[in-house]
């Protein structure tokens, strides 16, 4: 072997190895591409295109590297080319169906179906409807396709079968029923539902029927033969449960009470809400008469309303209904009338909406409005009466200063004076009821308060009544006026004593109570949730008649004999409790006694950074009541003005008076503001006192002011900033009170 041959022989293995390496890499890449194309989720058309492209690439590779491809590459090229060509030929000849074709074929089949068809989505809406469906039902009010449940008549029989279809579809079960159309009178059709498994979609198909036969002929699903079935009304016997076939499940659990009734009011079927509203077991309500549960007025009104309804009509205005078992429970009744040919005998559908809570709130609001109106009246009377008492008591005091105890007139004057003070006490009770008194609120422990007033209470109720006091443990604090709350206990105790003429037990009990929900008392008063301290005052007396319980807090209402009661005791208790932010409830039974429960809100102190000031506890030495200051007195009541002038002049003061605000401004201007003090009434015709003071202080900002009024200062909260930096004294005031107050104002910094 020559060297060249030897060199060629030696090079061939080297060339062969190179040649072998190139085909291996090439065919691996080609095979990978084919496998990826075969396993990819593509359509047949896309797969055929991919194979044809691969065949073209393989052909180019064979031409470029004929020695590398060899016979195997050529065979692979021919195979791929044949597969791709066959696939393309199948696609073009229509023998291979793409993924889009079934949907198009399915839609085309529904569109060309002469039967009305639609497909409903899982939420019940129409996803697709064919032309026959739209031709049969038209369009809905909103412009969309008519829902299957809205296309049929509203009579009981059709509604019952429609519900059966909807229920079968929701359970994934096919079903057929004959239903009456809504838009074509007397038209019956065969309706079939076919749920699409696993999707929640349902196909509805409607087939026309011949004119309606008297008896239905449903198809036996096993023999496929017609079976004649005569429908009978489903009417449960009294005391038996309803069949549940006439009222759909979603109405059975509805919060609105629904009943299907015959013409005479007998209940054929009812839902759970109706049984609960009437307080009857649901299993026992069928077969009973609806009117047996209403009061007489509601029965007459309901019968009249039902009788006025035409076929297919629905009552628009409700009937207010009260129930015999509980006159506090109320409802509003609506009704609709069915076709009289209903085989079940059902004539009316009755709907009852429970309005007990709303009615209670309306009564509570009306009661509050009434009490507020009475309170305003009482406050007005108290204001005018205080003006009169100011003169009566003041002039009597002036006379007593001139008529000493040895004078024959002293006893009569003293009687007039003491009577005037009693009258002033009654006026304070009127102000307490109208919540127009000034409360000196402080944090109190009711255990200590009740203990402090126990001695006084025992003296008031006498020996014939036994007082028992039960203190609650660890009572929460309350924010209240100690004196006024004590007066409330006294009034309740005195009333209890009068209710026990032969003696008995009076019990005062205190305890903490936490309300987690609104508390209703007799269906009228709602107490919001929260922490309360309850004061319970109960007796074993004669009790209060039921018809009087709603009136006992009205002023001047009393059941006592003439001359034995003013009728203001409980009225003032009511006002004190309400002004403190609490609630009071009476509970009584004739012959067994009465209990009053007072709920006062728990006081939670707020953290403060203010340093508390030390209270002055030292008694001041008696001061000289006289003075020489110049005072401007503004008062529209002549008698009050004259008495006040006399009282202050006797103490050495110089007093210039005015009958109104406009006159007072003229005097201020005339005297160039040379007044040490302005004493003014609050409520006056024309310019009132606060407005007058504002006008004065614009020119003389340092002017001292003392307001006098027949109202307490608490009733003047609407004056706001107008009363700031002003002093106040309530009518009727004593001479000593007036002179001391004037002295305090003049000496104030």
């Amino acid at each position: 072997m020559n060297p060249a041959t030897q060199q060629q022989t030696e090079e061939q293995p080297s060339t062969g190895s190179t040649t072998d390496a190139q085909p291996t890499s090439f065919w691996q890449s080609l095979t990978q591409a084919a496998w990826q194309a075969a396993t990819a989720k593509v359509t047949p058309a896309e797969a055929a295109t991919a194979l044809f492209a691969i065949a073209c690439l393989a052909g180019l590779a064979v031409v470029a590297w004929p020695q590398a491809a060899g016979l195997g590459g050529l065979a692979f090229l021919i195979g791929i080319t044949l597969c791709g060509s066959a696939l393309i030929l199948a696609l073009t000849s229509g023998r291979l169906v793409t993924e889009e074709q079934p949907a198009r074929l399915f839609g085309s089949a529904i569109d060309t179906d002469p039967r009305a068809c639609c497909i409903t989505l899982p939420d019940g809406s129409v996803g697709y409807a064919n032309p026959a469906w739209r031709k049969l039902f038209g369009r809905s009010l909103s412009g969309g396709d008519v829902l299957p449940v809205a296309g049929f008549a509203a009579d009981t029989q059709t509604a019952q079968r429609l519900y059966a279809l909807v229920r079968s579809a929701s359970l994934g079960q096919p079903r057929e029923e004959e239903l009456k159309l809504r838009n074509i009178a007397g038209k019956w059709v065969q309706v079939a539902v076919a749920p699409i498994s696993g999707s929640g979609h349902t196909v509805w198909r409607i087939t026309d029927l011949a004119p309606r036969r008297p008896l239905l002929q449903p198809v036996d699903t096993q023999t496929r033969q017609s079976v004649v079935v005569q429908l009978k009304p489903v009417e449960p016997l009294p005391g038996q449960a309803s069949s549940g076939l006439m009222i759909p499940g979603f109405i059975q659990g509805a919060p609105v009470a629904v009943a299907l009734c015959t013409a005479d009011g007998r209940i054929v079927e009812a839902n759970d809400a109706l049984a609960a509203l009437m307080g009857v077991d649901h299993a026992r309500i069928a077969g009973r008469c609806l009117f047996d549960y209403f009061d007489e007025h509601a029965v007459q009104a309901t019968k009249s309303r039902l009788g006025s309804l035409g076929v297919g009509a629905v009552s628009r205005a409700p009937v207010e209904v009260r129930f015999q078992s509980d006159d506090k429970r109320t409802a509003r009744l609506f009704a609709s009338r069915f076709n009289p040919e209903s085989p079940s005998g059902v004539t009316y559908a009755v709907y009852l909406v429970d309005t007990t809570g709303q009615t209670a709130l309306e009564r509570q609001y009306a009661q509050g409005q009434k009490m507020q109106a009475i309170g305003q009246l009482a406050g007005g009377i108290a204001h005018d009466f205080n003006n009169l008492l100011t003169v009566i008591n003041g002039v009597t005091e002036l006379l007593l200063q001139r008529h000493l105890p040895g004078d024959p007139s002293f006893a009569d004057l003293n009687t007039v004076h003491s009577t005037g003070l009693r009258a002033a006490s009654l006026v304070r009770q009127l102000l307490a009821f109208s919540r127009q008194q000034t409360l000196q609120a402080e944090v109190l422990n009711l255990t200590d308060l009740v203990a402090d007033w126990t001695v006084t209470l025992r003296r008031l109720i006498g020996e014939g009544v036994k007082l028992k006091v039960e203190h609650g443990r660890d009572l929460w604090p309350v924010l209240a006026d100690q004196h006024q709350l004590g007066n409330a206990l006294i009034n309740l105790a005195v009333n209890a004593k009068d209710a026990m003429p032969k003696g008995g037990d009076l019990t005062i009990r205190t305890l903490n109570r936490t309300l987690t929900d609104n508390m209703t008392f007799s269906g009228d008063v709602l107490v919001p949730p929260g922490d309360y301290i309850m004061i319970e005052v109960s007796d074993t007396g004669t009790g209060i008649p039921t018809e009087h319980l709603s009136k006992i807090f009205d002023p001047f209402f009393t059941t006592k004999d003439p001359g034995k009661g003013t009728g203001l005791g409980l009225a003032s208790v009511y006002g004190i409790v309400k002004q403190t932010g609490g609630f009071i409830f009476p509970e009584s039974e004739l012959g067994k006694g009465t209990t009053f429960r007072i709920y006062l809100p728990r006081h939670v102190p707020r953290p403060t950074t203010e340093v508390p000031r030390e209270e002055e506890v030292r008694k001041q030495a008696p001061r000289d009541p006289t003075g020489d200051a110049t005072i401007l007195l503004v008062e529209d009541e002549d008698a009050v003005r004259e008495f006040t002038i006399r009282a202050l002049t006797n103490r050495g003061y110089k007093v210039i008076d005015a009958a109104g605000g406009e006159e007072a401004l003229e005097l201020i201007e005339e005297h160039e503001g040379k007044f040490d003090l302005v004493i003014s009434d609050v409520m006056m015709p024309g310019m009132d006192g606060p407005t007058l003071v504002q006008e004065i202080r614009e020119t003389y900002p340092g002017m001292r002011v003392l307001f006098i009024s027949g109202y307490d200062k608490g009733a003047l909260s609407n004056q706001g900033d107008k009363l700031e930096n002003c002093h106040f004294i309530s009518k009727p005031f004593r001479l000593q009170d007036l002179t001391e107050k004037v002295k305090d104002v003049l000496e104030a910094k």
Side-chain angles (χ1 to χ4, degrees):
M1 181 178 298
N2 56 31
T5 307
Q6 182 179 1
Q7 183 178 1
Q8 184 179 3
T9 307
E10 292 176 354
E11 289 177 355
Q12 284 179 353
S14 175
T15 305
S17 64
T18 304
T19 307
D20 290 341
Q22 288 180 357
T24 301
S25 176
F26 172 77
W27 292 119
Q28 284 180 350
S29 301
L30 196 61
T31 305
Q32 273 186 341
W35 174 254
Q36 290 176 356
T39 58
K41 294 182 178 179
V42 294
T43 63
E46 292 172 342
T49 305
L51 288 174
F52 186 76
I54 292 173
C56 293
L57 291 175
L60 291 175
V62 170
V63 173
W65 298 286
Q67 294 180 353
L71 293 176
L74 184 60
F76 183 77
L77 172 63
I78 295 172
I80 287 198
T81 304
L82 291 176
C83 289
S85 301
L87 190 58
I88 293 174
L89 183 62
L91 287 172
T92 56
S93 63
R95 295 177 183 176
L96 188 63
V97 181
T98 64
E99 289 185 359
E100 291 84 355
Q101 286 177 322
R104 290 198 299 267
L105 292 175
F106 181 71
S108 177
I110 292 182
D111 281 342
T112 58
D113 195 329
R115 296 172 296 179
C117 303
C118 80
I119 301 176
T120 57
L121 304 179
D123 62 357
S125 61
V126 176
Y128 177 79
N130 69 349
W133 182 278
R134 293 170 181 168
K135 180 179 179 181
L136 177 62
F137 294 112
R139 289 287 184 175
S140 65
L141 295 178
S142 60
D145 294 317
V146 175
L147 300 177
V149 294
F152 303 99
D155 62 274
T156 305
Q157 191 175 4
T158 303
Q160 175 183 344
R161 297 181 180 190
L162 180 60
Y163 169 71
L165 286 174
V166 175
R167 181 171 178 79
S168 295
S170 65
L171 297 176
Q173 302 171 354
R175 189 183 182 95
E176 294 183 3
E177 292 286 350
E178 294 182 10
L179 305 180
K180 184 191 297 185
L181 292 176
R182 179 190 295 273
N183 56 350
I184 304 177
K187 181 69 172 179
W188 289 81
V189 292
Q190 184 82 19
V191 182
V193 294
I196 302 176
S197 178
S199 66
H201 296 64
T202 303
V203 179
W204 292 69
R205 286 188 176 88
I206 298 177
T207 305
D208 194 7
L209 290 177
R212 180 66 177 157
R213 297 177 295 276
L215 299 179
L216 298 180
Q217 294 183 346
V219 178
D220 190 322
T221 57
Q222 295 182 354
T223 63
R224 310 306 299 173
Q225 295 179 354
S226 297
V227 180
V228 177
V229 179
Q230 183 174 4
L231 293 181
K232 296 182 178 180
V234 181
E235 299 176 2
L237 298 175
Q240 292 183 342
S242 170
S243 64
L245 294 177
M246 302 183 68
I247 293 185
F250 69 91
I251 295 182
Q252 284 288 357
V256 178
V258 180
L260 302 179
C261 303
T262 60
D264 58 356
R266 184 170 54 84
I267 300 173
V268 176
E269 191 169 349
N271 66 349
D272 297 336
L274 183 79
L277 181 63
M278 296 182 175
V280 182
D281 185 5
H282 185 268
R284 294 180 172 273
I285 198 171
R288 297 190 177 186
C289 183
L290 182 69
F291 304 134
D292 293 343
Y293 299 96
F294 298 166
D295 66 2
E296 184 177 354
H297 175 74
V299 170
Q300 298 300 326
T302 303
K303 287 183 176 179
S304 175
R305 181 61 51 82
L306 295 180
S308 64
L309 290 177
V311 176
V314 179
S315 62
R316 300 300 180 187
V319 176
E320 300 296 334
V321 173
R322 291 184 181 273
F323 298 91
Q324 291 185 2
S325 58
D326 183 4
D327 60 353
K328 297 293 184 181
R329 183 172 291 278
T330 60
R332 286 178 179 168
L333 183 146
F334 299 84
S336 59
R337 185 168 181 178
F338 293 122
N339 194 315
E341 67 183 22
S342 172
S344 64
V346 172
T347 306
Y348 301 104
V350 177
Y351 315 92
L352 290 165
V353 181
D354 190 357
T355 58
T356 304
Q358 179 182 348
T359 304
L361 287 175
E362 290 174 353
R363 285 200 300 266
Q364 181 182 357
Y365 177 76
Q367 178 71 6
Q369 291 292 99
K370 182 186 75 172
M371 300 299 279
Q372 182 179 1
I374 296 175
Q376 290 176 349
L377 174 62
I381 294 174
H383 173 266
D384 294 339
F385 201 43
N386 274 332
N387 281 332
L388 300 177
L389 288 176
T390 300
V391 178
I392 294 172
N393 294 346
V395 173
T396 304
E397 286 190 42
L398 291 175
L399 291 174
L400 285 172
Q401 291 178 355
R402 296 189 311 190
H403 297 270
L404 300 178
D407 193 295
S409 301
F410 178 81
D412 294 335
L413 291 174
N414 195 45
T415 301
V416 173
H417 185 251
S418 61
T419 304
L421 293 178
R422 288 176 56 193
S425 177
L426 289 177
V427 173
R428 282 194 295 272
Q429 288 186 329
L430 276 176
L431 288 173
F433 164 74
S434 60
R435 290 173 256 174
Q436 296 178 356
Q437 60 179 342
T438 302
L439 295 182
Q440 303 297 327
E442 56 183 310
V443 179
L444 301 176
N445 185 306
L446 288 184
T447 300
D448 297 337
L449 183 139
V450 174
D452 292 341
W453 286 87
T454 299
V455 176
T456 304
L457 294 176
R458 292 187 190 277
R459 186 174 66 251
L460 288 173
I461 62 179
E463 298 180 357
V465 177
K466 184 179 179 181
L467 177 62
K468 300 178 182 178
V469 180
E470 299 177 7
H471 297 290
R473 293 184 178 181
D474 301 324
L475 291 182
W476 296 317
V478 297
L479 187 65
D481 187 313
Q482 180 177 2
H483 180 71
Q484 296 295 341
L485 206 54
N487 283 340
L489 291 177
I490 288 176
N491 282 321
L492 292 176
V494 170
N495 269 13
K497 172 198 169 185
D498 295 339
M500 298 182 289
K502 297 181 180 180
D505 295 333
L506 173 62
T507 304
I508 300 178
R509 184 181 297 108
T510 59
L511 67 153
N512 295 330
R513 284 207 61 182
T514 298
L515 301 180
T516 57
D517 199 359
N518 289 331
M519 185 182 75
T520 304
F521 179 79
S522 298
D524 289 333
V525 181
L526 296 177
V527 182
D531 293 334
Y532 296 89
I533 298 88
M534 187 183 75
I535 307 174
E536 184 178 276
V537 181
S538 59
D539 62 61
T540 58
T542 56
I544 303 173
T546 304
E547 62 270 18
H548 292 163
L549 275 178
S550 61
K551 305 176 183 177
I552 58 176
F553 295 127
D554 294 353
F556 309 113
F557 176 81
T558 179
T559 57
K560 299 177 183 178
D561 296 333
K564 292 187 178 181
T566 62
L568 289 175
L570 291 178
S572 63
V573 172
Y574 180 86
I576 291 169
V577 172
K578 285 296 183 181
Q579 196 169 0
T580 308
F583 304 86
I584 180 170
F585 308 125
E587 186 176 319
S588 184
E589 186 175 352
L590 288 178
K592 293 187 178 181
T594 303
T595 299
F596 287 90
R597 293 184 178 89
I598 299 174
Y599 289 82
L600 299 178
R602 176 185 182 180
H603 173 67
V604 180
R606 297 180 180 178
T608 178
T609 57
E610 296 181 0
V611 179
R613 294 178 298 178
E614 297 183 0
E615 297 182 358
E616 298 181 0
V617 295
R618 298 178 182 177
K619 295 182 178 179
Q620 297 181 356
R623 292 177 297 174
D624 181 9
T626 62
D628 58 356
T630 302
I631 299 174
L632 174 62
L633 174 64
V634 188
E635 170 61 61
D636 63 304
E637 287 284 341
D638 295 339
V640 176
R641 189 171 66 253
E642 291 175 3
F643 155 70
T644 308
I645 293 173
R646 288 180 58 188
L648 295 175
T649 303
N650 289 344
R651 293 297 186 268
Y653 296 101
K654 181 182 179 181
V655 181
I656 299 176
D657 65 290
E662 293 81 0
E663 183 181 352
L665 290 177
E666 294 177 1
L667 291 174
I668 287 284
E669 184 178 355
E670 181 181 339
H671 289 77
E672 298 180 353
K674 296 178 180 178
F675 292 100
D676 301 300
L677 174 66
V678 174
I679 300 178
S680 174
D681 192 7
V682 176
M683 300 297 182
M684 296 183 296
M687 182 181 293
D688 59 18
T691 304
L692 168 64
V693 170
Q694 278 190 325
E695 293 284 344
I696 295 174
R697 283 184 169 173
E698 287 183 0
T699 308
Y700 306 100
M703 182 67 70
R704 291 181 173 88
V705 177
L706 173 62
F707 281 121
I708 57 177
S709 177
Y711 294 108
D712 275 356
K713 189 175 182 180
L716 306 175
S717 58
N718 60 335
Q719 298 294 336
D721 298 339
K722 295 181 180 180
L723 298 180
E724 285 188 0
N725 300 321
C726 298
H727 299 267
F728 186 87
I729 185 172
S730 297
K731 302 175 185 178
F733 44 76
R734 298 182 304 166
L735 287 177
Q736 182 181 356
D737 296 335
L738 176 62
T739 54
E740 287 184 354
K741 191 66 177 179
V742 169
K743 199 77 171 180
D744 290 339
V745 176
L746 290 172
E747 293 179 354
K749 293 183 180 181

